[in-house]
Amino acid sequence: MAPFRNERILIVSPEAWGSMRISKHHYATSLARAGAQVYFMGPRNTSPTRDDVAMAEEEGLVLVTDTWHWPGQRFLPRWSRALLDAAHLAGVARRCGGGFDILWNFDAYRFRSLRSRANARVRLLHLMDLPRPWDAHEPASNADLVIAVSQSMIDALGAHVREGIHVPHGILPRPPGTDRTDRTGTGPHIGYAGNLAIPYLDLEGILRIATEHPQATIHLFGPWSHAFGGKGQLAPDMLARLRNQPNIRLHGQVPSSELHERLSAMDLLLVAYDSARFPNETRNSHKVLEYLMTGRPVLASHMADLVQLHQLLVMAPPGTSIADLAGDVLRDLHKHNAPERMAMRKAYAASMSYDAHLLRIADALRSLNDPART
């Protein structure tokens, strides 16, 4: 039988469901395509008017509003927090017509103390970033399986992980004919995709590339406020500087269905992080696979967990900015965009599909109950 078919799965995500999709959303849709009955619960919403369950028919899953609110829960004893987490999950299960086979938790700050199996037979903690490892100690110790996008995250949790596996970021295969090769205007086109309001983004580096290379046009695809239902927003003075730079184009939020086509029309793509000030937050990035799927060259800030991809990325050394390397990369764009190098990047990205990752995770879950394990 196919992995996850007919299983009831509750995905808990810190990012809301919307037109922009990242890993949590892609896992949800991939599980639904695999035949699972998927319930997707986004960030907590305490408005009493939104205590509902809404069908998302086109994606084959159910969107669930999380209205649980218990102020000061983190200050209670662990046994009290465990009871409240169990009551929280029981309420969600009642609204969804019954308990779940798997609680697939991408949010280390909800269901942290859950031990009960009454409404979740298996508890997964899936970590996409880990800026402060101690925040995940308790939820990791209560999880049946911890999944992390880098081995360093699992290592950082140490003895708090009973069972853990490293599953890198994933990618959705693109249908044929979605690449673009046309250009508008002259000079190289450089792209960045992502939330412009995150604190560890190296916008100064992007501005420096724009000013030092006025022949280039830099396209910024992504929101600068309230991304995925969050409250973060770009500082007004920085937003004004970006808007006033003549060769920077702010495109705003772009639907996931259009992003690949937009990125494949670029000559160069950027991963622009301030890794010197934020080394833990910038060790890895889900956007790398999205970029590599286009085949286009990627100029990236230093990411400690991805140094093994040196043949696929142009990565800045630790403590340096991508702006330091931009001149050399732009001079050699014809080499970086050679067909054989583009094919190598695409092949690597294709090998990291979500469907392949689900098979690995299913194998790990089966091994949890294997009587032959020692």
Side-chain angles (χ1 to χ4, degrees):
M1 190 160 100
F4 304 110
R5 182 176 295 278
N6 297 324
E7 295 200 336
R8 289 172 55 84
I9 300 175
L10 175 65
I11 289 182
V12 180
S13 167
E15 281 89 22
W17 191 270
S19 61
M20 286 185 65
R21 303 289 171 83
I22 55 176
S23 50
K24 294 89 172 170
H25 313 98
H26 295 322
Y27 270 105
T29 54
S30 296
L31 284 163
R33 285 197 308 272
Q37 189 171 354
V38 179
Y39 297 81
F40 185 95
M41 189 164 72
R44 183 175 291 119
N45 184 308
T46 56
S47 170
T49 63
R50 293 195 58 190
D51 187 11
D52 62 345
V53 176
M55 285 298 296
E57 298 286 353
E58 73 280 3
E59 301 288 352
L61 49 84
V62 179
L63 301 183
V64 182
T65 301
D66 185 7
T67 58
W68 177 268
H69 183 58
W70 193 287
Q73 181 174 336
R74 67 185 186 278
F75 300 114
L76 297 174
R78 181 173 291 194
W79 65 268
S80 299
R81 299 198 306 270
L83 290 175
L84 288 172
D85 278 348
H88 182 187
L89 185 58
V92 175
R94 281 195 300 273
R95 291 160 56 203
C96 295
F100 305 97
D101 296 296
I102 301 174
L103 170 64
W104 200 308
N105 197 349
F106 290 92
D107 190 344
Y109 299 96
R110 278 183 287 178
F111 300 109
R112 295 170 56 81
S113 306
L114 182 69
R115 290 179 174 271
S116 170
R117 297 186 183 278
N119 289 289
R121 178 173 53 85
V122 177
R123 299 160 306 196
L124 306 185
L125 177 65
H126 200 145
L127 298 172
M128 294 293 167
D129 52 64
L130 192 62
R132 301 190 303 179
W134 55 89
D135 282 346
H137 285 175
E138 184 178 6
S141 66
N142 290 323
D144 298 302
L145 179 67
V146 175
I147 307 165
V149 294
S150 72
Q151 185 60 44
S152 66
M153 292 184 188
I154 294 176
D155 295 341
L157 293 172
H160 297 280
V161 176
R162 289 184 290 174
E163 297 288 342
I165 58 170
H166 164 215
V167 179
H169 286 295
I171 192 74
L172 290 176
R174 300 298 173 185
T178 56
D179 289 350
R180 279 183 58 187
T181 57
D182 57 303
R183 301 288 187 274
T184 57
T186 60
H189 290 257
I190 303 173
Y192 173 86
N195 181 2
L196 298 177
I198 56 176
Y200 47 84
L201 187 60
D202 183 16
L203 289 171
E204 292 290 351
I206 291 177
L207 280 165
R208 187 178 146 201
I209 294 173
T211 56
E212 293 180 0
H213 305 280
Q215 79 282 10
T217 302
I218 299 179
H219 302 263
L220 303 181
F221 304 103
W224 48 84
S225 66
H226 305 99
F228 301 108
K231 298 180 180 179
Q233 53 187 328
L234 186 60
D237 59 335
M238 176 56 75
L239 182 57
R241 290 175 65 192
L242 294 171
R243 283 176 166 161
N244 292 333
Q245 182 63 36
N247 58 335
I248 288 182
R249 306 285 184 268
L250 285 161
H251 296 271
Q253 183 168 315
V254 176
S256 294
S257 58
E258 301 176 13
L259 186 58
H260 178 78
E261 183 179 359
R262 300 281 195 102
L263 294 178
S264 65
M266 299 293 106
D267 300 288
L268 176 66
L269 299 169
L270 301 179
V271 177
Y273 294 149
D274 187 349
S275 55
R277 292 177 56 210
F278 301 94
N280 290 329
E281 292 87 342
T282 60
R283 297 181 64 91
N284 209 321
S285 174
H286 67 272
K287 77 171 81 272
V288 169
L289 285 177
E290 188 84 19
Y291 285 178
L292 292 176
M293 182 63 79
T294 70
R296 294 299 173 187
V298 180
L299 172 58
S301 51
H302 187 76
M303 293 176 287
D305 289 337
L306 298 181
V307 292
Q308 73 277 12
L309 301 184
H310 59 90
Q311 291 185 320
L312 303 174
L313 309 173
V314 179
M315 186 180 294
T320 62
S321 169
I322 56 171
D324 298 333
L325 283 69
D328 291 339
V329 174
L330 288 172
R331 276 189 294 272
D332 290 334
L333 267 183
H334 64 289
K335 296 179 181 177
H336 292 293
N337 276 301
E340 62 274 12
R341 300 186 74 170
M342 291 185 65
M344 183 170 62
R345 298 182 192 109
K346 290 182 176 182
Y348 175 81
S351 71
M352 294 286 122
S353 71
Y354 285 103
D355 290 342
H357 289 348
L358 288 180
L359 291 175
R360 285 196 58 208
I361 295 169
D363 287 342
L365 290 175
R366 278 192 292 268
S367 72
L368 294 179
N369 299 316
D370 186 350
R373 291 178 76 238
T374 57

